[in-house]
Amino acid sequence: MRHWPLAGIGLIALILTGCAGQQAFSDSKQLISQGRTEEGLAALNKVVAEYPDNQEYRAYYIRQRELQADRMVREADNLRVNEQFEAAEQKYRSVLNTFPGHPRAEDGLKRVATDRRHLQLLADAEKAKQGGHVDKARQLLRQALSENSRNTKARKMLSEINTAKHRSDMTPVGPDSPLNALVTLEFQQAPLPAIFDVLSRSTGVNFVFDKDVKLDARATIMAKNTPLSEALNVLLTGQQLTKRVLNDRSVLIYPAQPGRQRELEELRVKTFYLGNVDAKSALGLIKTVVKTRDVFVDDKLNMLVMRDTPEAIAVAEKLLASQDLAEPEVMLEVEVMEISNAKLLELGVNFPEKVTISPAKAITDVGQGLWTIGDLRNSTRDAIRVGNIDPALVINLKNTDGATNTLANPRIRVKNRDKAKIHIGDRVPVITTVSLPNGGGTSESVNYLDVGLKVDVEPLVHLNDEVSIKVGLEVSNIADEVTSKQGLVTYKIGSRTANTSLRLKDGETQVLAGLIRQEDIQSANRFPLLGKLPVLGRLLSSEKSQLNKSELVLMITPRILRNLDIPDINNTEFDSGTEAAVGSESLRLSNRGSEVKVPASGGGEGGFVPQPDMGNQVPVAPPSLPPPAPEPVPAQPVEQPLVESGQNPNKSNKRIQ
């Protein structure tokens, strides 16, 4: 018996120790729930160290530790992706201080160093690109991609450089071509070979004529300080001719006839990878505007392949650039509240509603088991029992006043013109019985009825950062259960709906309220006859007053995440050529620079006088035309070879037989 006190003391100490551990565990959980995660984890670590055998403490600590580490690493990753390297590095080191050896944090520090080096490589590549050192820029970008093939900025910059180089290789006319030189032309009814001969000798451009070109034609052109390419377009169009540029200094002249154009016109294949617009929609656009027939569509890759002239492909590129735009997106913050108020006052006395009269003893007569009038007459007062249903008397003293707010606050992201649905509630099963024909019995089927809160929204984002929203709101609940004769249970549904359309600014909140349901019930239980007396009746009755009121409130706030990025004027308004030649160069004579007049040597029917080398300009001045002279007999065209490198540029025209 002497050992019992010691055992009791040990048991009490064990109980107190367990209570202390539970209190410390609860305090650490409360710190974590308040957002003080680091303090809570430190307290949890201490609790786990003191109670290593408690699996509940250990499991909760490990779980919270992993959640905290994952949250901190995700925050550091977001900072690194947004190129906030200093903050990202601090966050990764904070993770390692709290969780030493964390693999994702160590990998994140390595990625920060790599991203910093790649950012410097991209800056050097951009500097080299601006300085004209394209090969050096391409080498730097390839070095960055060799270490991280998913670097989107490096891939984009390298794609831009390769695209620019490809287009420069595909374009025969460079910026320093003599076809861009400014010239002044004044010819009146001059022979066509003479005009091209003067142009060739003055600019060094070689003109090659197709065998079907009529060289006995005459032309008149007046152009001052205009690019040679534009003057050629006007001159050739007037003679029903067209050209194909072979290189910077060679031009092929041939008739603008459909058959000849099909033979000599260059065709190109272009593949468009579409990211936003549907390929079939783009196909209809290309066929309608560009009139292209050779188009292939791949629905799986959302890709379009087009084969047409370079000019038509250039038009298609601008059309698709104005169509392949990311759709606007909006975040809808919806808050639905159902505010319910219930008041109940029940005061007074409830008397029994029924009184029973029954025999005190069971009737043993084998007959009908009923008393006759003689039995009642011969019975004593102890033979009849008068009773009531328990309790005999109820005093009501009840007064309740309650308010309930049911809140739903969903946030949903939706694309422009798409429908979004929110349903918060239950799906109630409804069983339906169907009788089969020819006595085949019955079959049951189960359908589900949505009960609760349903919100349907359809946004339309406008260019002025306003949002039009179609809103459909329905709140339903099960009001009552109804049982059919066959035993099937059906439901009586109470519903409140609202449908509207509204237009809000970005971030503006609209409140929709007024969907009110109110019930006012007044009832009383009175003692017969005496309950209607003025004063005594109040003591002999029980009155019940019940008021239920609920209001539905909807608040909706649109926040535009991305609006339509309107392309610049170059992709929304541009020249598209003529009906016969889509994308062909426009006929214009640009007036650039100031005219420099120089006396012409020789007369004739017009002139073109070059000046000394002044960069990309060939300023000339037309001579004063002499009085009209008798028209000379045109000489027979003599075939001359093309000017080879190092030969006299005066002999630069050749006719294709």
Side-chain angles (χ1 to χ4, degrees):
M1 296 298 294
R2 294 179 180 179
H3 298 286
W4 279 106
L6 295 177
I9 292 173
L11 181 60
I12 293 174
L14 182 62
I15 294 174
L16 293 177
T17 303
C19 293
Q22 186 65 32
Q23 182 62 37
F25 180 66
S26 300
D27 293 342
S28 59
K29 289 176 64 177
Q30 186 175 3
L31 288 174
I32 294 176
S33 63
Q34 292 175 355
R36 301 159 62 182
T37 310
E38 295 183 3
E39 298 179 22
L41 287 176
L44 272 176
N45 189 18
K46 186 177 180 181
V47 172
V48 171
E50 293 179 358
Y51 306 95
D53 297 332
N54 194 312
Q55 297 299 324
E56 180 185 1
Y57 298 168
R58 183 176 181 82
Y60 185 79
Y61 170 69
I62 294 175
R63 175 61 177 165
Q64 293 299 323
R65 184 176 182 271
E66 293 298 326
L67 290 176
Q68 173 67 3
D70 182 71
R71 182 184 64 83
M72 295 177 67
V73 170
R74 282 191 284 108
E75 291 178 357
D77 290 341
N78 291 333
L79 292 173
R80 179 179 59 83
V81 170
N82 294 325
E83 298 181 356
Q84 301 179 19
F85 299 126
E86 295 292 340
E89 186 176 2
Q90 293 178 3
K91 183 67 69 172
Y92 284 128
R93 296 193 183 279
S94 177
V95 175
L96 291 176
N97 292 334
T98 308
F99 314 101
H102 196 280
R104 290 177 58 191
E106 293 178 348
D107 182 68
L109 286 177
K110 296 179 182 178
R111 288 178 178 269
V112 167
T114 303
D115 290 347
R116 280 177 171 170
R117 186 172 65 256
H118 289 175
L119 189 63
Q120 184 61 41
L121 289 175
L122 291 178
D124 295 341
E126 181 65 26
K127 185 177 180 181
K129 175 185 173 184
Q130 297 296 335
H133 305 290
V134 180
D135 293 335
K136 181 181 179 181
R138 187 183 291 109
Q139 181 181 0
L140 293 173
L141 293 173
R142 287 176 176 172
Q143 180 181 349
L145 289 173
S146 64
E147 299 178 4
N148 182 13
S149 60
R150 302 176 66 179
N151 192 321
T152 56
K153 289 187 176 181
R155 293 172 64 91
K156 182 179 180 182
M157 188 179 298
L158 183 61
S159 176
E160 291 176 354
I161 292 176
N162 292 334
T163 301
K165 184 178 184 303
H166 173 73
R167 290 187 175 180
S168 64
D169 294 341
M170 298 293 289
T171 304
V173 179
D176 298 329
S177 172
L179 291 173
N180 298 325
L182 300 181
V183 297
T184 296
L185 302 178
E186 291 189 2
F187 291 97
Q188 292 183 359
Q189 291 297 317
L192 198 60
I195 297 177
F196 283 105
D197 184 65
V198 173
L199 291 176
S200 178
R201 285 187 286 109
S202 303
T203 63
V205 177
N206 304 320
F207 297 96
V208 182
F209 296 93
D210 184 73
K211 63 181 181 65
D212 295 331
V213 175
K214 297 179 180 180
L215 296 179
D216 57 349
R218 292 176 174 268
T220 299
I221 182 172
M222 303 292 177
K224 295 183 179 180
N225 294 334
T226 188
L228 176 59
S229 59
E230 295 183 3
L232 281 177
N233 290 335
V234 175
L235 177 63
L236 295 176
T237 302
Q239 299 297 320
Q240 295 184 352
L241 301 174
T242 186
K243 72 178 190 300
R244 176 177 174 180
V245 180
L246 304 178
N247 55 39
D248 280 356
R249 294 180 176 271
S250 300
V251 179
L252 172 64
I253 308 298
Y254 60 94
Q257 299 173 356
R260 201 60 175 155
Q261 284 181 323
R262 282 194 297 269
E263 295 176 2
L264 298 177
E265 214 168 33
E266 179 185 4
L267 297 180
R268 189 175 298 174
V269 176
K270 174 71 175 181
T271 301
F272 297 95
Y273 293 93
L274 307 174
N276 301 286
V277 66
D278 183 67
K280 291 184 178 179
S281 176
L283 174 64
L285 176 67
I286 297 300
K287 285 189 173 182
T288 302
V289 179
V290 190
K291 312 296 184 184
T292 300
R293 291 176 296 179
D294 300 335
V295 187
F296 172 78
V297 169
D298 189 339
D299 293 332
K300 184 177 180 180
L301 298 178
N302 201 35
M303 177 189 70
L304 184 144
V305 182
M306 173 183 176
R307 181 174 181 266
D308 210 322
T309 62
E311 294 81 10
I313 289 179
V315 173
E317 286 180 346
K318 293 185 176 182
L319 286 175
L320 294 179
S322 63
Q323 293 289 320
D324 193 19
L325 303 176
E327 294 187 41
E329 283 189 290
V330 61
M331 176 74 75
L332 297 178
E333 298 178 0
V334 182
E335 188 172 2
V336 182
M337 293 183 295
E338 186 175 9
I339 305 173
S340 302
N341 295 319
K343 294 182 179 181
L344 176 62
L345 177 61
E346 192 171 0
L347 183 63
V349 179
N350 272 351
F351 290 93
E353 298 179 358
K354 297 179 180 179
V355 177
T356 61
I357 300 176
S358 61
K361 297 181 179 180
I363 302 174
T364 59
D365 189 6
V366 188
Q368 297 293 330
L370 300 175
W371 279 9
T372 63
I373 299 299
D375 294 334
L376 289 175
R377 185 179 300 173
N378 297 327
S379 64
T380 62
R381 62 180 183 179
D382 296 331
I384 299 175
R385 177 180 295 172
V386 178
N388 66 295
I389 301 176
D390 294 334
L393 186 66
V394 177
I395 300 176
N396 294 320
L397 300 173
K398 187 176 182 180
N399 185 12
T400 60
D401 189 356
T404 304
N405 295 341
T406 302
L407 174 64
N409 187 16
R411 302 177 63 188
I412 186 169
R413 180 170 178 170
V414 58
K415 289 197 304 182
N416 189 37
R417 299 180 184 272
D418 279 2
K419 295 181 180 180
K421 295 184 178 182
I422 303 170
H423 179 216
I424 303 174
D426 301 320
R427 303 194 71 191
V428 180
V430 179
I431 301 176
T432 304
T433 303
V434 179
S435 298
L436 299 178
N438 301 325
T442 60
S443 65
E444 293 183 351
S445 62
V446 180
N447 297 320
Y448 289 90
L449 182 65
D450 293 332
V451 177
L453 170 66
K454 290 195 294 185
V455 181
D456 297 340
V457 291
E458 183 179 353
L460 173 60
V461 182
H462 299 278
L463 296 179
N464 59 348
D465 288 339
E466 292 186 357
V467 183
S468 295
I469 309 174
K470 294 181 180 179
V471 182
L473 173 65
E474 180 181 356
V475 177
S476 57
N477 63 303
I478 299 177
D480 193 8
E481 293 185 0
V482 181
T483 304
S484 65
K485 295 180 180 180
Q486 290 78 17
L488 299 177
V489 178
T490 58
Y491 301 96
K492 180 181 179 181
I493 305 298
S495 176
R496 283 174 289 173
T497 61
N499 295 282
T500 184
S501 297
L502 58 155
R503 182 163 177 166
L504 303 175
K505 295 181 179 179
D506 183 21
E508 181 182 359
T509 301
Q510 178 63 46
V511 179
L512 303 177
L515 294 175
I516 301 174
R517 182 176 64 185
Q518 182 172 337
E519 295 178 355
D520 191 356
I521 302 174
Q522 302 290 336
S523 62
N525 293 326
R526 295 187 178 90
F527 192 87
L529 300 178
L530 298 179
K532 294 184 178 181
L533 297 178
V535 178
L536 185 61
R538 188 68 181 88
L539 300 176
L540 299 177
S541 62
S542 175
E543 295 184 358
K544 180 180 180 181
S545 176
Q546 184 176 1
L547 177 62
N548 296 327
K549 181 180 180 181
S550 64
E551 180 179 5
L552 195 65
V553 179
L554 170 67
M555 292 185 292
I556 185 168
T557 304
R559 301 192 183 277
I560 299 176
L561 302 179
R562 179 178 58 237
N563 206 340
L564 191 65
D565 190 10
I566 301 297
D568 56 18
I569 191 66
N570 294 328
N571 290 330
T572 57
E573 183 178 354
F574 52 88
D575 295 330
S576 63
T578 63
E579 184 70 20
V582 176
S584 60
E585 298 182 35
S586 302
L587 295 181
R588 61 166 60 93
L589 292 176
S590 304
N591 187 10
R592 305 177 184 178
S594 58
E595 181 181 3
V596 180
K597 292 187 177 182
V598 179
S601 59
E605 296 151 317
F608 175 98
V609 182
Q611 291 300 302
D613 187 11
M614 298 177 61
N616 195 33
Q617 295 187 356
V618 185
V620 296
S624 300
L625 295 177
E631 181 176 343
V633 178
Q636 296 295 327
V638 180
E639 179 176 334
Q640 297 178 350
L642 281 171
V643 177
E644 301 292 341
S645 176
Q647 293 182 356
N648 186 359
N650 296 337
K651 298 180 181 180
S652 57
N653 300 338
K654 181 178 179 181
R655 180 166 181 170
I656 300 177
Q657 299 296 335

